PDB file of all heavy atoms in Angstrom:
ATOM      1  N   SER A 319       5.934 -42.837 -34.778  1.00  0.00           N
ATOM      2  CA  SER A 319       5.916 -41.378 -34.516  1.00  0.00           C
ATOM      3  C   SER A 319       4.498 -40.891 -34.786  1.00  0.00           C
ATOM      4  O   SER A 319       4.308 -39.650 -34.524  1.00  0.00           O
ATOM      5  CB  SER A 319       6.830 -40.693 -35.514  1.00  0.00           C
ATOM      6  OG  SER A 319       6.552 -40.916 -36.917  1.00  0.00           O
ATOM      7  N   ALA A 320       3.580 -41.640 -35.215  1.00  0.00           N
ATOM      8  CA  ALA A 320       2.162 -41.036 -35.527  1.00  0.00           C
ATOM      9  C   ALA A 320       1.193 -42.145 -35.540  1.00  0.00           C
ATOM     10  O   ALA A 320       1.557 -43.334 -35.606  1.00  0.00           O
ATOM     11  CB  ALA A 320       2.172 -40.323 -36.839  1.00  0.00           C
ATOM     12  N   GLY A 321      -0.122 -41.827 -35.330  1.00  0.00           N
ATOM     13  CA  GLY A 321      -1.181 -42.771 -35.430  1.00  0.00           C
ATOM     14  C   GLY A 321      -1.723 -43.231 -34.097  1.00  0.00           C
ATOM     15  O   GLY A 321      -1.150 -42.872 -33.017  1.00  0.00           O
ATOM     16  N   TYR A 322      -2.902 -43.976 -34.080  1.00  0.00           N
ATOM     17  CA  TYR A 322      -3.389 -44.465 -32.885  1.00  0.00           C
ATOM     18  C   TYR A 322      -2.785 -45.775 -32.474  1.00  0.00           C
ATOM     19  O   TYR A 322      -2.833 -46.670 -33.333  1.00  0.00           O
ATOM     20  CB  TYR A 322      -4.983 -44.643 -33.095  1.00  0.00           C
ATOM     21  CG  TYR A 322      -5.777 -43.376 -33.283  1.00  0.00           C
ATOM     22  CD1 TYR A 322      -6.594 -43.212 -34.476  1.00  0.00           C
ATOM     23  CD2 TYR A 322      -5.721 -42.341 -32.386  1.00  0.00           C
ATOM     24  CE1 TYR A 322      -7.308 -42.012 -34.660  1.00  0.00           C
ATOM     25  CE2 TYR A 322      -6.454 -41.201 -32.618  1.00  0.00           C
ATOM     26  CZ  TYR A 322      -7.304 -41.076 -33.737  1.00  0.00           C
ATOM     27  OH  TYR A 322      -7.953 -39.905 -33.893  1.00  0.00           O
ATOM     28  N   ARG A 323      -2.349 -45.899 -31.318  1.00  0.00           N
ATOM     29  CA  ARG A 323      -1.713 -47.053 -30.783  1.00  0.00           C
ATOM     30  C   ARG A 323      -2.783 -48.169 -30.583  1.00  0.00           C
ATOM     31  O   ARG A 323      -3.903 -47.889 -30.186  1.00  0.00           O
ATOM     32  CB  ARG A 323      -0.990 -46.793 -29.504  1.00  0.00           C
ATOM     33  CG  ARG A 323       0.148 -45.802 -29.467  1.00  0.00           C
ATOM     34  CD  ARG A 323       0.761 -45.737 -28.118  1.00  0.00           C
ATOM     35  NE  ARG A 323       1.715 -44.710 -27.932  1.00  0.00           N
ATOM     36  CZ  ARG A 323       1.448 -43.454 -27.476  1.00  0.00           C
ATOM     37  NH1 ARG A 323       0.218 -43.177 -27.129  1.00  0.00           N
ATOM     38  NH2 ARG A 323       2.449 -42.556 -27.369  1.00  0.00           N
ATOM     39  N   ASP A 324      -2.390 -49.300 -30.890  1.00  0.00           N
ATOM     40  CA  ASP A 324      -3.344 -50.532 -30.562  1.00  0.00           C
ATOM     41  C   ASP A 324      -4.622 -50.391 -31.213  1.00  0.00           C
ATOM     42  O   ASP A 324      -5.733 -50.730 -30.577  1.00  0.00           O
ATOM     43  CB  ASP A 324      -3.417 -50.701 -29.122  1.00  0.00           C
ATOM     44  CG  ASP A 324      -2.102 -51.034 -28.389  1.00  0.00           C
ATOM     45  OD1 ASP A 324      -1.231 -51.741 -29.006  1.00  0.00           O
ATOM     46  OD2 ASP A 324      -1.849 -50.510 -27.307  1.00  0.00           O
ATOM     47  N   ALA A 325      -4.711 -49.805 -32.403  1.00  0.00           N
ATOM     48  CA  ALA A 325      -5.989 -49.507 -33.022  1.00  0.00           C
ATOM     49  C   ALA A 325      -6.583 -50.761 -33.651  1.00  0.00           C
ATOM     50  O   ALA A 325      -5.843 -51.722 -33.761  1.00  0.00           O
ATOM     51  CB  ALA A 325      -5.824 -48.463 -34.210  1.00  0.00           C
ATOM     52  N   GLY A 326      -7.852 -50.670 -33.877  1.00  0.00           N
ATOM     53  CA  GLY A 326      -8.596 -51.842 -34.462  1.00  0.00           C
ATOM     54  C   GLY A 326      -9.711 -51.332 -35.225  1.00  0.00           C
ATOM     55  O   GLY A 326     -10.087 -50.146 -35.267  1.00  0.00           O
ATOM     56  N   ARG A 327     -10.429 -52.172 -36.054  1.00  0.00           N
ATOM     57  CA  ARG A 327     -11.492 -51.855 -36.880  1.00  0.00           C
ATOM     58  C   ARG A 327     -12.628 -51.219 -35.908  1.00  0.00           C
ATOM     59  O   ARG A 327     -13.038 -51.794 -35.016  1.00  0.00           O
ATOM     60  CB  ARG A 327     -12.070 -52.979 -37.663  1.00  0.00           C
ATOM     61  CG  ARG A 327     -11.294 -53.296 -38.937  1.00  0.00           C
ATOM     62  CD  ARG A 327     -11.743 -54.599 -39.601  1.00  0.00           C
ATOM     63  NE  ARG A 327     -11.089 -54.635 -40.911  1.00  0.00           N
ATOM     64  CZ  ARG A 327      -9.838 -55.037 -41.171  1.00  0.00           C
ATOM     65  NH1 ARG A 327      -9.003 -55.362 -40.099  1.00  0.00           N
ATOM     66  NH2 ARG A 327      -9.343 -55.054 -42.379  1.00  0.00           N
ATOM     67  N   GLY A 328     -12.975 -49.959 -36.282  1.00  0.00           N
ATOM     68  CA  GLY A 328     -13.952 -49.230 -35.524  1.00  0.00           C
ATOM     69  C   GLY A 328     -13.402 -47.877 -34.969  1.00  0.00           C
ATOM     70  O   GLY A 328     -14.094 -47.014 -34.559  1.00  0.00           O
ATOM     71  N   TYR A 329     -12.050 -47.718 -35.144  1.00  0.00           N
ATOM     72  CA  TYR A 329     -11.412 -46.470 -34.779  1.00  0.00           C
ATOM     73  C   TYR A 329     -11.865 -45.390 -35.634  1.00  0.00           C
ATOM     74  O   TYR A 329     -11.867 -44.201 -35.232  1.00  0.00           O
ATOM     75  CB  TYR A 329      -9.887 -46.609 -34.724  1.00  0.00           C
ATOM     76  CG  TYR A 329      -9.387 -47.070 -33.419  1.00  0.00           C
ATOM     77  CD1 TYR A 329      -9.702 -48.162 -32.740  1.00  0.00           C
ATOM     78  CD2 TYR A 329      -8.380 -46.230 -32.802  1.00  0.00           C
ATOM     79  CE1 TYR A 329      -9.227 -48.548 -31.494  1.00  0.00           C
ATOM     80  CE2 TYR A 329      -7.859 -46.477 -31.457  1.00  0.00           C
ATOM     81  CZ  TYR A 329      -8.343 -47.737 -30.863  1.00  0.00           C
ATOM     82  OH  TYR A 329      -7.774 -48.018 -29.631  1.00  0.00           O
ATOM     83  N   GLY A 330     -12.209 -45.655 -36.895  1.00  0.00           N
ATOM     84  CA  GLY A 330     -12.736 -44.656 -37.801  1.00  0.00           C
ATOM     85  C   GLY A 330     -14.072 -44.111 -37.264  1.00  0.00           C
ATOM     86  O   GLY A 330     -14.366 -42.942 -37.510  1.00  0.00           O
ATOM     87  N   ILE A 331     -14.812 -44.963 -36.658  1.00  0.00           N
ATOM     88  CA  ILE A 331     -16.197 -44.480 -36.057  1.00  0.00           C
ATOM     89  C   ILE A 331     -15.841 -43.526 -34.885  1.00  0.00           C
ATOM     90  O   ILE A 331     -16.473 -42.459 -34.722  1.00  0.00           O
ATOM     91  CB  ILE A 331     -17.009 -45.635 -35.585  1.00  0.00           C
ATOM     92  CG1 ILE A 331     -17.095 -46.667 -36.699  1.00  0.00           C
ATOM     93  CG2 ILE A 331     -18.397 -45.168 -35.161  1.00  0.00           C
ATOM     94  CD1 ILE A 331     -17.862 -47.969 -36.154  1.00  0.00           C
ATOM     95  N   ALA A 332     -14.922 -43.880 -34.074  1.00  0.00           N
ATOM     96  CA  ALA A 332     -14.554 -43.112 -32.867  1.00  0.00           C
ATOM     97  C   ALA A 332     -13.991 -41.821 -33.303  1.00  0.00           C
ATOM     98  O   ALA A 332     -14.198 -40.762 -32.849  1.00  0.00           O
ATOM     99  CB  ALA A 332     -13.640 -43.837 -32.050  1.00  0.00           C
ATOM    100  N   ASP A 333     -13.177 -41.892 -34.302  1.00  0.00           N
ATOM    101  CA  ASP A 333     -12.627 -40.596 -34.942  1.00  0.00           C
ATOM    102  C   ASP A 333     -13.693 -39.676 -35.439  1.00  0.00           C
ATOM    103  O   ASP A 333     -13.671 -38.426 -35.229  1.00  0.00           O
ATOM    104  CB  ASP A 333     -11.611 -41.003 -36.038  1.00  0.00           C
ATOM    105  CG  ASP A 333     -10.891 -39.705 -36.572  1.00  0.00           C
ATOM    106  OD1 ASP A 333      -9.885 -39.376 -35.961  1.00  0.00           O
ATOM    107  OD2 ASP A 333     -11.217 -39.232 -37.656  1.00  0.00           O
ATOM    108  N   LEU A 334     -14.694 -40.284 -36.022  1.00  0.00           N
ATOM    109  CA  LEU A 334     -15.886 -39.477 -36.529  1.00  0.00           C
ATOM    110  C   LEU A 334     -16.595 -38.904 -35.360  1.00  0.00           C
ATOM    111  O   LEU A 334     -16.987 -37.692 -35.373  1.00  0.00           O
ATOM    112  CB  LEU A 334     -16.922 -40.498 -37.289  1.00  0.00           C
ATOM    113  CG  LEU A 334     -18.202 -39.968 -37.822  1.00  0.00           C
ATOM    114  CD1 LEU A 334     -18.637 -40.811 -38.928  1.00  0.00           C
ATOM    115  CD2 LEU A 334     -19.272 -39.838 -36.735  1.00  0.00           C
ATOM    116  N   ALA A 335     -16.727 -39.663 -34.302  1.00  0.00           N
ATOM    117  CA  ALA A 335     -17.433 -39.145 -33.089  1.00  0.00           C
ATOM    118  C   ALA A 335     -16.699 -37.961 -32.420  1.00  0.00           C
ATOM    119  O   ALA A 335     -17.266 -37.078 -31.877  1.00  0.00           O
ATOM    120  CB  ALA A 335     -17.713 -40.280 -32.143  1.00  0.00           C
ATOM    121  N   ALA A 336     -15.364 -38.042 -32.511  1.00  0.00           N
ATOM    122  CA  ALA A 336     -14.587 -37.123 -31.760  1.00  0.00           C
ATOM    123  C   ALA A 336     -14.128 -35.841 -32.575  1.00  0.00           C
ATOM    124  O   ALA A 336     -13.565 -34.952 -32.094  1.00  0.00           O
ATOM    125  CB  ALA A 336     -13.224 -37.785 -31.208  1.00  0.00           C
ATOM    126  N   THR A 337     -14.556 -35.828 -33.901  1.00  0.00           N
ATOM    127  CA  THR A 337     -14.075 -34.737 -34.773  1.00  0.00           C
ATOM    128  C   THR A 337     -15.174 -33.615 -34.741  1.00  0.00           C
ATOM    129  O   THR A 337     -16.306 -33.888 -35.009  1.00  0.00           O
ATOM    130  CB  THR A 337     -13.956 -35.234 -36.179  1.00  0.00           C
ATOM    131  OG1 THR A 337     -12.908 -36.324 -36.247  1.00  0.00           O
ATOM    132  CG2 THR A 337     -13.541 -34.116 -37.104  1.00  0.00           C
ATOM    133  N   PRO A 338     -14.644 -32.453 -34.465  1.00  0.00           N
ATOM    134  CA  PRO A 338     -15.629 -31.221 -34.407  1.00  0.00           C
ATOM    135  C   PRO A 338     -16.391 -31.103 -35.725  1.00  0.00           C
ATOM    136  O   PRO A 338     -15.938 -31.495 -36.822  1.00  0.00           O
ATOM    137  CB  PRO A 338     -14.685 -30.106 -34.174  1.00  0.00           C
ATOM    138  CG  PRO A 338     -13.519 -30.624 -33.422  1.00  0.00           C
ATOM    139  CD  PRO A 338     -13.278 -31.991 -34.024  1.00  0.00           C
ATOM    140  N   ALA A 339     -17.444 -30.462 -35.645  1.00  0.00           N
ATOM    141  CA  ALA A 339     -18.434 -30.399 -36.797  1.00  0.00           C
ATOM    142  C   ALA A 339     -17.821 -29.661 -37.939  1.00  0.00           C
ATOM    143  O   ALA A 339     -18.277 -29.827 -39.138  1.00  0.00           O
ATOM    144  CB  ALA A 339     -19.806 -29.648 -36.349  1.00  0.00           C
ATOM    145  N   ASP A 340     -16.869 -28.740 -37.721  1.00  0.00           N
ATOM    146  CA  ASP A 340     -16.272 -27.875 -38.785  1.00  0.00           C
ATOM    147  C   ASP A 340     -15.066 -28.476 -39.375  1.00  0.00           C
ATOM    148  O   ASP A 340     -14.399 -27.868 -40.157  1.00  0.00           O
ATOM    149  CB  ASP A 340     -16.030 -26.478 -38.276  1.00  0.00           C
ATOM    150  CG  ASP A 340     -15.009 -26.456 -37.187  1.00  0.00           C
ATOM    151  OD1 ASP A 340     -14.732 -27.539 -36.576  1.00  0.00           O
ATOM    152  OD2 ASP A 340     -14.514 -25.315 -36.767  1.00  0.00           O
ATOM    153  N   GLN A 341     -14.745 -29.677 -39.044  1.00  0.00           N
ATOM    154  CA  GLN A 341     -13.598 -30.394 -39.517  1.00  0.00           C
ATOM    155  C   GLN A 341     -13.946 -31.650 -40.250  1.00  0.00           C
ATOM    156  O   GLN A 341     -14.932 -32.266 -39.942  1.00  0.00           O
ATOM    157  CB  GLN A 341     -12.608 -30.783 -38.340  1.00  0.00           C
ATOM    158  CG  GLN A 341     -12.028 -29.583 -37.642  1.00  0.00           C
ATOM    159  CD  GLN A 341     -11.111 -29.887 -36.558  1.00  0.00           C
ATOM    160  OE1 GLN A 341     -10.603 -31.147 -36.466  1.00  0.00           O
ATOM    161  NE2 GLN A 341     -10.935 -29.023 -35.549  1.00  0.00           N
ATOM    162  N   GLN A 342     -13.105 -32.120 -41.244  1.00  0.00           N
ATOM    163  CA  GLN A 342     -13.330 -33.234 -42.005  1.00  0.00           C
ATOM    164  C   GLN A 342     -12.982 -34.548 -41.209  1.00  0.00           C
ATOM    165  O   GLN A 342     -11.861 -34.543 -40.600  1.00  0.00           O
ATOM    166  CB  GLN A 342     -12.564 -33.190 -43.309  1.00  0.00           C
ATOM    167  CG  GLN A 342     -12.584 -34.444 -44.088  1.00  0.00           C
ATOM    168  CD  GLN A 342     -13.735 -34.689 -44.968  1.00  0.00           C
ATOM    169  OE1 GLN A 342     -14.841 -34.224 -44.553  1.00  0.00           O
ATOM    170  NE2 GLN A 342     -13.598 -35.331 -46.059  1.00  0.00           N
ATOM    171  N   ILE A 343     -13.775 -35.474 -41.236  1.00  0.00           N
ATOM    172  CA  ILE A 343     -13.408 -36.763 -40.504  1.00  0.00           C
ATOM    173  C   ILE A 343     -12.373 -37.440 -41.405  1.00  0.00           C
ATOM    174  O   ILE A 343     -12.304 -37.244 -42.617  1.00  0.00           O
ATOM    175  CB  ILE A 343     -14.594 -37.651 -40.259  1.00  0.00           C
ATOM    176  CG1 ILE A 343     -15.325 -38.109 -41.523  1.00  0.00           C
ATOM    177  CG2 ILE A 343     -15.578 -36.943 -39.231  1.00  0.00           C
ATOM    178  CD1 ILE A 343     -16.517 -38.988 -41.304  1.00  0.00           C
ATOM    179  N   ARG A 344     -11.464 -38.226 -40.805  1.00  0.00           N
ATOM    180  CA  ARG A 344     -10.395 -38.866 -41.494  1.00  0.00           C
ATOM    181  C   ARG A 344     -10.887 -39.993 -42.399  1.00  0.00           C
ATOM    182  O   ARG A 344     -10.563 -39.992 -43.619  1.00  0.00           O
ATOM    183  CB  ARG A 344      -9.338 -39.245 -40.511  1.00  0.00           C
ATOM    184  CG  ARG A 344      -8.626 -38.034 -39.878  1.00  0.00           C
ATOM    185  CD  ARG A 344      -7.537 -38.578 -38.974  1.00  0.00           C
ATOM    186  NE  ARG A 344      -6.736 -37.485 -38.376  1.00  0.00           N
ATOM    187  CZ  ARG A 344      -6.945 -36.999 -37.197  1.00  0.00           C
ATOM    188  NH1 ARG A 344      -7.955 -37.418 -36.448  1.00  0.00           N
ATOM    189  NH2 ARG A 344      -6.270 -35.986 -36.734  1.00  0.00           N
TER     190      ARG A 344
END
Side-chain angles (χ1 to χ4, degrees):
S319 61
Y322 294 126
R323 300 184 186 94
D324 301 318
R327 279 173 167 79
Y329 268 58
I331 310 170
D333 187 80
L334 178 157
T337 300
D340 61 347
Q341 296 179 20
Q342 170 80 329
I343 62 177
R344 292 184 175 93

